[in-house]
Every structure is written in C-alpha cells, then in structure tokens.
Amino acid sequence: MKISTITLLEELKDRTGQHLQYAETLLLKSDNDLNFRMDTDSWSVLECLEHLNRYGTFYIPEISHRISSSKTNSKSDFKPGILGNYFAKSMLPKDKLNKMNTLKAMNPIHSQLNKEVVNEFIKQQEQLLDLLDKASTINLEKTKTAISISKLITLKLGDTFRFVIYHNARHIAQAERVLRNI
C-alpha cells in the first residue's frame, strides 16, 4: 500500500487538530469528572491523557531530533513498513477495543492528577502539528526513529507518526467513553 505523503500528513494533522480541540473542551470539565473512573481498574480521563503524555515525552523529542538531523528530501509517496504498519493499525480505535497491557512506567492508574495533564497534552499536540509541518520536507521512509520499548528497533518516521497519533485517538475514544458514563 502506498499513500501520497501530502495526503498522509494532512490526515495526521487533521486528527491531531481534532485531538487538540477535544482536549481544550476538557478544560471546561470539573476535576471530579476528569478523575471519574468506571471501576477501580479502569482509567479516568486524566489517566488516559497522562498515559499519552508519557509516550509523548519520548516520541516528540525523538521525532524532532530525527527530523532536524535528516538529510533526505521529501518523496511523493509513503510506503509503510511491515512492523510499523502493524503497530499503527493495532492502535486505531475500534467499536470494541481490545485491551492491551501497557508498560508499568506508562501506566498512570491511581496517580494524583489535575488539569495540568490536559495542558501538557495540548502543548504536545501543538508540538506534533509543528513536527508534521516540518516533516513535509523530508523522506518519511528513509528517516527512522527509535521506539519507546527498544532503541534497537526503528520505524519509518511516517509509521511512527501514525502510531503516535492513532494511539492518541485510541485513548481519546476511551476518555470519551468514560465521560459518557458519568
């Protein structure tokens, strides 16, 4: 499967813009609503965003570094890698989400959180939008990034963007379900 680089970047910017707008609406919610969990083992809205912030803390500097050090020119099409495509697609929200285990360091359950988590998420979405703009000048296939679970495995930058942004979509859908149950 090949996709136009411009089309891919525009789709990812659109999703990220939606995530940013959603987060801004969360600032209007009460702390009680944002900390509500459906049961003791489920995440609250703030825990969903804190989980994403923890991943963003790794991926945003990694992507930024790879973009700034890339010496490749943009290419008209992007062809996902096998592993990167698998990771990205596994993150897309589905009607019935399959539960996934997360690394202990990335699991925010029972953390004491406030709206600063939302503000950090908003800041990270703004940074992602900036990086997506910058990425239009480089080759999304030849530029590689490390992944959070192993520095030995690298993904094409286009796949890393897809993974991060689809992962955000997954947990925003989870946060929306939590708020519908209040």
Side-chain angles (χ1 to χ4, degrees):
M1 150 188 128
K2 273 191 179 186
I3 184 168
S4 155
T5 299
I6 293 169
T7 302
L8 174 64
L9 291 173
E10 287 304 317
E11 184 243 328
L12 295 174
K13 284 184 212 174
D14 184 53
R15 282 181 184 262
T16 303
Q18 290 172 25
H19 299 161
L20 177 60
Q21 286 179 330
Y22 178 72
E24 288 169 342
T25 69
L26 294 177
L27 292 172
L28 305 173
K29 302 281 185 193
S30 72
D31 285 349
N32 280 345
D33 286 353
L34 296 176
N35 279 299
F36 171 81
R37 64 170 51 94
M38 293 189 284
D39 60 59
T40 56
D41 295 329
S42 66
W43 287 352
S44 69
V45 170
L46 290 179
E47 287 166 338
C48 290
L49 293 186
E50 175 62 16
H51 171 72
L52 296 176
N53 289 345
R54 290 177 186 189
Y55 274 95
T57 298
F58 173 82
Y59 281 105
I60 289 172
E62 173 68 9
I63 291 168
S64 181
H65 170 70
R66 299 304 174 170
I67 288 173
S68 64
S69 61
S70 178
K71 305 218 184 318
T72 65
N73 291 326
S74 65
K75 193 176 153 198
S76 61
D77 290 324
F78 173 73
K79 185 174 192 296
I82 294 169
L83 189 59
N85 197 43
Y86 171 78
F87 285 153
K89 284 185 168 182
S90 72
M91 287 299 119
L92 280 169
K94 301 168 186 72
D95 288 340
K96 177 86 170 99
L97 277 186
N98 51 323
K99 272 199 144 197
M100 294 181 156
N101 290 328
T102 191
L103 299 171
K104 190 172 186 164
M106 299 299 187
N107 190 343
I109 196 156
H110 302 300
S111 300
Q112 296 299 309
L113 303 172
N114 59 38
K115 286 184 183 167
E116 279 308 304
V117 170
V118 180
N119 288 322
E120 175 63 21
F121 183 75
I122 288 169
K123 185 178 110 191
Q124 288 187 7
Q125 297 317 291
E126 290 168 345
Q127 291 172 317
L128 265 178
L129 286 169
D130 182 54
L131 291 170
L132 287 163
D133 278 337
K134 290 177 179 173
S136 66
T137 63
I138 63 169
N139 187 318
L140 300 183
E141 286 181 32
K142 292 210 185 299
T143 306
K144 309 280 185 170
T145 65
I147 63 171
S148 60
I149 58 173
S150 172
K151 303 264 192 234
L152 302 175
I153 300 171
T154 60
L155 297 180
K156 296 175 180 184
L157 177 59
D159 287 330
T160 301
F161 272 128
R162 290 171 64 228
F163 169 80
V164 170
I165 293 165
Y166 295 172
H167 184 233
N168 289 350
R170 176 186 188 84
H171 289 291
I172 285 173
Q174 181 182 4
E176 289 171 333
R177 276 194 307 282
V178 172
L179 288 176
R180 279 195 303 268
N181 282 288
I182 292 179

